[in-house]
Amino acid sequence: MAKNNNPPISGGKAVVECLKANNVKHVFGLIGSATMELFDALYDEKSIKFIDVRDERTGTHMADAYARASGNHGVIIAGQNGPGATNLVTGVAQAKAAFSPLLSIAGAIATEHKGKDAFQEVDQQKLFEPITKKTFSIDKTKNIAVELNKAMQLAKTGKWGPVHVNIPRDILSGNETFESFTFENKTKEKNINKNDLEKVISLIEKAKKPIIICGAGIKNSNSHEEVISLSKNLNIPLVSSAGHGDVIPFDCDLYAGQMGPRGNKVASYLANHADLILAIGTRLGFNSTFYSYDNISKSAKIVQVDIDPIALGRYFPIELGINNNAKKFLENLSSLISLKKFNQNNTDWVNNFLNEKNKYYKNRDNEADTNSKIIQPSGLFKELREILPKNSSVTLDAGTLCLQATDQFYFSKPKSLFTPLDFGLVGFSFAAGLGVKLAQPNTPVFSLMGDGGFGMTVSELSTAVQHKINTITVVMNNKSWGAEKAYQRDYYNKRYVGADISSPPFHELAELYGAKGYHITQLKDVKKAIKDALVCNKPAIVNVELDPEALYSFRKDSFKHRAK
């Protein structure tokens, strides 16, 4: 074996070299004494920009959204063991629910102190195992390159997801020689059985009411053009799973939008009445279906294609499951279909859908309340639809107002909508928007959230201003925790506890941080504020006073026992 003539370097330097070798361009984090060797090595690495955040949780949301927007790893470093690491937990759990290729790194106590109730000691291995694809704890400096590469490759192998790495301070300060900072991924791609493809074609030929449900697997495999081509060739309507309204460009005629309890009624009707469902790159998960035949056709034959074998038939019985990449499936299926001639059995189904879609969007605009003295959500959404530049990306929070906004905007390209998905997290949107903007620097980024969620994360205005991350955040200010207040109103006889909140004037607070602030009390002023925010060359906060009574109970299924 050839002798390794590389000079010894610190473990901290080895971490940075691994990140560099894996083409990492941005690292989010909050410094701490446990990882000083790592941060000292970052000082010299000009190819990686360090975005210092004010809280590890919000930094993790930035890294999560950056990963989803770019398709590359989002990296967050908690500089301190103990509290620094525990502050990551909410963000890592969020990334797991979103199948985001997040890499979180935390300092850990010195090896000799492990298990002795040392200062800031917590079992970080066990803490992160349930919320990651895998958690690594590196015990030797010489193992850093191998273990870190394993972690990064695992995050993007198969179904994407977060990985976490604990590195003790003595491992980071140790010195070793390293031959390489990457290693080859030898994962073998599986072929798709031709008989399965023939069966799919046979099911399509017999179907009178087929649909294609498109999930995140379409976005992550960059296969929206393939699925649109399949849809056009076979005249099959397209529906997106919840939280993925950007999977198909809005101007595609056969695209219905998001299905399910939080989607629109046209897409939901298709999902409820189809006789064949091609579910491609989707689990048919909770937000899309509530795991109930109230939201998906019980009589439909389901063909499910997913890169995760566990997803196949997990929530609903399927006619056929194909464990593979969405893009490969679409390419293989389209290749076979091109050799066949199809009779059109679904013309009435499609024509009815197109008529209903046209009526729905016209009615949505006509019925939007733009005349109330107090701004209503429907009026605000209509105004934003008309103002937002076509190529915008949008981040949403959880909460009643953002749930009302789920299917309200037009997306011109995939990877332009970012939501908490099935984790339902409040306090995600503003921080996520900063991550998206760094991944898509030439794209206008709008973050929508309630006043409660923004209040949780407002300190990241410092990060946005310091690093000139110029997003536009629309705070829909209804002075309440809206979802819970709606449940207390509708099911608990208006016995309000903790539902009403007070906040400082966010537009003034933004100015104190060095950002731009706008205060909106009348709908007619929204357009001017947004236009100005787009060119102000600062992070912008648009504080919109919304009707505090405009609340909606989404989880009616959870309160059946309280219904009168």
Side-chain angles (χ1 to χ4, degrees):
M1 182 182 289
K3 187 177 179 181
N4 183 357
N5 291 318
N6 295 330
I9 60 173
S10 73
K13 175 71 170 172
V15 171
V16 172
E17 290 295 333
C18 288
L19 297 177
K20 179 182 176 183
N22 280 280
N23 203 33
V24 170
K25 300 298 183 188
H26 290 86
V27 169
F28 305 86
L30 201 162
I31 65 171
S33 66
T35 50
M36 279 300 165
E37 288 289 343
L38 196 167
F39 287 108
D40 187 65
L42 270 175
Y43 180 89
D44 293 320
E45 188 45 66
K46 303 307 179 189
S47 71
I48 298 176
K49 183 169 184 180
F50 178 59
I51 307 294
D52 52 314
V53 302
R54 302 304 178 264
D55 184 270
E56 292 91 349
R57 171 198 161 175
T58 41
T60 310
H61 300 330
M62 293 178 208
D64 166 14
Y66 177 92
R68 289 195 245 168
S70 66
N72 299 321
H73 295 94
V75 181
I76 174 72
I77 300 172
Q80 195 61 27
N81 51 276
T86 60
N87 280 349
L88 294 174
V89 169
T90 297
V92 174
Q94 161 61 55
K96 187 172 191 285
F99 301 101
S100 177
L102 175 83
L103 168 65
S104 61
I105 299 173
I109 62 167
T111 305
E112 64 176 319
H113 294 157
K114 187 176 179 182
K116 297 179 179 178
D117 292 330
F119 178 63
Q120 295 185 325
E121 181 177 9
V122 65
D123 190 337
Q124 293 174 200
Q125 178 67 30
K126 288 183 180 176
L127 183 68
F128 286 94
E129 281 177 350
I131 56 171
T132 58
K133 286 186 77 174
K134 187 171 181 178
T135 294
F136 297 75
S137 290
I138 299 178
D139 60 0
K140 291 182 176 64
T141 303
K142 67 180 180 181
N143 293 342
I144 285 175
V146 170
E147 294 292 286
L148 203 51
N149 272 283
K150 281 182 184 177
M152 295 185 79
Q153 294 202 14
L154 180 62
K156 294 191 69 177
T157 299
K159 182 78 90 174
W160 290 1
V163 292
H164 177 76
V165 181
N166 298 305
I167 313 179
R169 58 178 66 209
D170 55 304
I171 303 303
L172 287 170
S173 62
N175 286 279
E176 284 285 351
T177 56
F178 292 87
E179 189 173 339
S180 174
F181 294 102
T182 59
F183 71 93
E184 186 180 355
N185 182 3
K186 297 182 179 178
T187 304
K188 193 174 180 183
E189 196 176 54
K190 291 193 298 186
N191 290 321
I192 298 175
N193 188 309
K194 188 177 178 183
N195 290 335
D196 286 344
L197 296 171
E198 294 282 6
K199 187 172 182 180
V200 174
I201 291 171
S202 175
L203 289 167
I204 293 171
E205 287 178 317
K206 294 171 185 174
K208 293 183 179 179
K209 297 186 288 183
I211 63 167
I212 301 171
I213 300 178
C214 305
I218 298 289
K219 287 196 289 190
N220 294 343
S221 62
N222 297 312
S223 53
H224 65 284
E225 291 182 357
E226 287 83 353
V227 78
I228 290 171
S229 177
L230 180 70
S231 165
K232 287 180 177 177
N233 289 340
L234 300 179
N235 202 31
I236 298 178
L238 294 161
V239 169
S240 83
S241 58
H244 297 296
D246 59 333
V247 66
I248 304 295
F250 178 81
D251 58 8
C252 174
D253 287 342
L254 288 168
Y255 178 45
Q258 295 179 80
M259 65 173 281
R262 294 156 184 174
N264 71 60
K265 66 179 186 180
V266 177
S268 298
Y269 178 91
L270 292 176
N272 267 311
H273 294 83
D275 62 4
L276 174 66
I277 294 172
L278 302 181
I280 306 177
T282 173
R283 297 169 298 135
L284 299 174
F286 179 79
N287 270 348
S288 297
T289 66
F290 280 7
Y291 306 141
S292 164
Y293 282 115
D294 291 341
N295 300 297
I296 194 169
S297 172
K298 191 171 186 176
S299 61
K301 293 180 178 178
I302 299 175
V303 173
Q304 191 173 14
V305 181
D306 202 280
I307 203 163
D308 180 7
I310 295 172
L312 301 177
R314 184 177 184 185
Y315 306 125
F316 298 95
I318 58 176
E319 189 77 8
L320 178 64
I322 296 176
N323 174 213
N324 217 297
N325 175 283
K327 192 179 191 79
K328 185 169 184 179
F329 167 76
L330 288 163
E331 288 173 346
N332 282 220
L333 183 65
S334 295
S335 180
L336 269 182
I337 282 173
S338 67
L339 305 175
K340 295 181 177 288
K341 207 170 187 180
F342 282 80
N343 294 320
Q344 291 290 329
N345 296 322
N346 60 342
T347 305
D348 290 345
W349 167 250
V350 173
N351 287 341
N352 181 65
F353 150 61
L354 293 173
N355 287 332
E356 290 300 315
K357 175 184 170 181
N358 187 47
K359 281 195 290 187
Y360 170 74
Y361 287 119
K362 279 187 177 175
N363 289 340
R364 184 173 71 175
D365 278 343
N366 291 336
E367 294 170 4
D369 187 345
T370 57
N371 297 314
S372 290
K373 187 175 181 182
I374 304 175
I375 300 172
Q376 299 298 313
S378 61
L380 176 64
F381 298 149
K382 180 183 179 183
E383 197 73 8
L384 291 174
R385 279 196 299 274
E386 294 173 357
I387 300 166
L388 266 57
K390 186 178 179 183
N391 66 329
S392 297
S393 285
V394 173
T395 69
L396 295 176
D397 237 38
T400 185
L401 290 169
C402 283
L403 289 175
Q404 290 178 62
T406 299
D407 200 61
Q408 290 286 330
F409 300 109
Y410 306 139
F411 301 102
S412 64
K413 63 185 187 302
K415 296 187 179 178
S416 52
L417 172 63
F418 305 88
T419 79
L421 297 171
D422 285 8
F423 201 55
L425 180 71
V426 173
F428 168 81
S429 184
F430 171 48
L434 302 182
V436 172
K437 185 66 175 178
L438 289 168
Q440 302 175 351
N442 298 318
T443 297
V445 176
F446 290 83
S447 298
L448 273 70
M449 62 198 311
D451 48 317
F454 185 67
M456 287 181 177
T457 58
V458 68
S459 63
E460 294 304 344
L461 271 170
S462 290
T463 302
V465 170
Q466 178 183 342
H467 293 284
K468 298 181 172 57
I469 312 172
N470 298 334
T471 63
I472 299 171
T473 302
V474 179
V475 180
M476 299 180 289
N477 196 332
N478 63 1
K479 299 176 175 55
S480 68
W481 298 108
E484 289 69 29
K485 188 168 185 178
Y487 300 139
Q488 290 178 346
R489 178 195 66 190
D490 294 343
Y491 300 105
Y492 294 89
N493 298 317
K494 299 183 180 179
R495 292 159 58 88
Y496 298 122
V497 177
D500 297 304
I501 56 177
S502 62
S503 304
F506 290 128
H507 50 287
E508 294 180 18
L509 193 60
E511 298 280 346
L512 290 173
Y513 272 100
K516 185 78 172 171
Y518 304 86
H519 188 207
I520 306 297
T521 59
Q522 297 182 70
L523 189 63
K524 66 181 179 63
D525 295 328
V526 171
K527 183 176 291 186
K528 182 177 183 300
I530 296 296
K531 284 186 173 180
D532 189 74
L534 283 165
V535 297
C536 75
N537 203 30
K538 290 182 176 183
I541 305 301
V542 184
N543 186 18
V544 183
E545 305 286 349
L546 253 72
D547 185 356
E549 300 300 319
L551 306 175
Y552 182 79
S553 290
F554 275 89
R555 290 300 308 276
K556 292 180 172 66
D557 59 311
S558 291
F559 295 97
K560 288 178 182 177
H561 66 289
R562 301 287 306 190
K564 295 176 181 177

